[in-house]
Amino acid sequence: MHNIPFLDLKRVNLRYQPLIDEAVARVARSGRYLGGEETATFETDFAAYIGTSYCVSCANGLDALTLIYRSLLALGRLKEGDEVLVSANTYIASVLAITECRLKPVFVEPDPFTLQISEEALEKAITPRCKSLMIVHLYGRCAYSSRIGELCKENNLILVEDNAQAHGCCFIDEKGCRKTGSLSLAAGHSFYPTKTLGALGDAGAVTTDDMELAETVRAMANYGSDRRYHNLFKGRNSRMDEIQAAVLRAKLHLLDEENKERRTLADYYYRNLSSPGFSLPTKAPQLSHVYHLFPILLNNDVDREQWRSELAHKGVNTDVHYPVPPHLQPCYKKAFGHLSLPVTEHIHRSVVSLPLFPGLTPQEIAYITEQVNTCAV
């Protein structure tokens, strides 16, 4: 009897076990558990990997995005009440970072085929009140495009990336392959254990080429302090610990290899999944996605929970990313529940994520595909 989990972190990390054991032991023996050499080295290595001048570590991905916007406010590049355009179908953390800084989110519908922010909807949504755009590389798919870059320049929009789900993802054009996280003024990263580059707990980072912004983010994350007992800003305590940094260092050098494995699995799905009961998002060029998640969209006449339950009975476990869009969450319903976002709402009603993680065997991916294709609709 098959019992294939949606995600098996133990299996994912098993290939790193000797490196992880050595990294944790190294930190334990060092006597330095915060703000040490492990964190500094990871910041240098991750900045080099992403292709930016600076990386500032912090406690988690939400903090990373929040610190970017708090720093932009402190530097006078934004002011409270400014509008920030954001993907309407994102995870709520993207929106929380905006409202935490007393900025106003403007929800932009996604393209129904790519599930990423729609260029056409974005262009229509821009007003003089809009001062920033946050693109979200949702599901490990590249949300950036040349047209989005042009719209930001034409409208003086500060571009920020939510790169929590897309470490190693690329934007490909005539300039070559540039990694997401390096395409904007600044990007927020999450190293939550489920991510393509995952720690053993919470951790995050900001990448940027802007030295002033990097220094401000670093101060903001350290109680607003630029030096000991000297607080320039009303900051917060948001730090990556040395164990997480050491584990991430151990895993970073295999990230591209793991992403290649994710692409191979996704390619199998694209070649073999077919059913009248669901559709697949548009497939993009090989290097531009890292498939943190593999979503499919069920048809309107399919009962999602019944469909998932039948698959689970056959040993295929799935998940939903995400069942309720941010504008309809209880915390935002009063402010934004009146909005009509039909594409977003359809995606959240119909999306299901299939298992896709490094370590899935050819036999398992074939079994998953067979059961998904034949699941009663």
Side-chain angles (χ1 to χ4, degrees), residues 303-325:
D303 183 312
R304 179 165 62 186
E305 291 314 305
Q306 181 180 338
W307 191 87
R308 293 181 63 215
S309 177
E310 182 171 335
L311 276 180
H313 181 72
K314 295 178 179 180
V316 177
N317 293 281
T318 60
D319 207 339
V320 176
H321 298 89
Y322 300 93
V324 181

Side-chain angles (χ1 to χ4, degrees), residues 145-187:
S145 69
S146 297
R147 181 57 184 150
I148 287 174
E150 291 168 0
L151 287 170
C152 288
K153 289 180 181 178
E154 291 168 5
N155 295 278
N156 295 313
L157 297 174
I158 296 173
L159 181 60
V160 171
E161 293 169 84
D162 181 342
N163 201 47
Q165 299 186 5
H167 304 129
C169 185
C170 290
F171 171 67
I172 304 168
D173 62 4
E174 66 280 357
K175 297 178 183 178
C177 178
R178 290 178 284 158
K179 286 192 172 67
T180 57
S182 69
L183 305 170
S184 58
L185 175 68

Side-chain angles (χ1 to χ4, degrees), residues 159-352:
L159 181 60
V160 171
E161 293 169 84
D162 181 342
N163 201 47
Q165 299 186 5
H167 304 129
C169 185
C170 290
F171 171 67
I172 304 168
D173 62 4
E174 66 280 357
K175 297 178 183 178
C177 178
R178 290 178 284 158
K179 286 192 172 67
T180 57
S182 69
L183 305 170
S184 58
L185 175 68
H189 305 262
S190 169
F191 305 115
Y192 188 74
T194 62
K195 306 302 186 186
T196 53
L197 179 62
L200 298 187
D202 267 326
V206 172
T207 53
T208 183
D209 284 324
D210 187 312
M211 183 175 68
E212 183 182 42
L213 182 61
E215 290 175 347
T216 306
V217 168
R218 191 175 296 282
M220 279 286 184
N222 186 33
Y223 303 99
S225 174
D226 61 334
R227 61 184 186 272
R228 197 176 187 197
Y229 302 134
H230 186 263
N231 301 78
L232 283 174
F233 311 107
K234 296 175 183 177
R236 65 197 308 165
N237 174 17
S238 181
R239 295 180 291 216
M240 179 188 294
D241 68 67
E242 287 284 277
I243 286 179
Q244 304 309 332
V247 169
L248 291 169
R249 284 183 62 198
K251 297 178 71 174
L252 180 59
H253 75 285
L254 285 176
L255 178 57
D256 286 342
E257 183 179 320
E258 285 209 340
N259 284 340
K260 184 178 179 181
E261 189 173 347
R262 288 177 178 275
R263 293 186 186 105
T264 298
L265 294 169
D267 186 61
Y268 185 93
Y269 277 150
Y270 271 109
R271 286 186 288 107
N272 295 283
L273 282 172
S274 180
S275 168
F278 60 80
S279 59
L280 304 181
T282 303
K283 188 179 181 183
Q286 185 72 354
L287 288 176
S288 62
H289 293 347
V290 293
Y291 298 102
H292 166 60
L293 299 168
F294 193 93
I296 65 172
L297 298 176
L298 300 179
N299 291 348
N300 289 332
D301 58 349
V302 178
D303 183 312
R304 179 165 62 186
E305 291 314 305
Q306 181 180 338
W307 191 87
R308 293 181 63 215
S309 177
E310 182 171 335
L311 276 180
H313 181 72
K314 295 178 179 180
V316 177
N317 293 281
T318 60
D319 207 339
V320 176
H321 298 89
Y322 300 93
V324 181
H327 73 286
L328 295 181
Q329 291 287 351
C331 62
Y332 286 131
K333 203 164 185 178
K334 183 176 180 181
F336 305 116
H338 65 282
L339 296 175
S340 175
L341 298 169
V343 178
T344 292
E345 289 161 20
H346 169 71
I347 290 170
H348 286 259
R349 283 194 306 269
S350 61
V351 70
V352 175

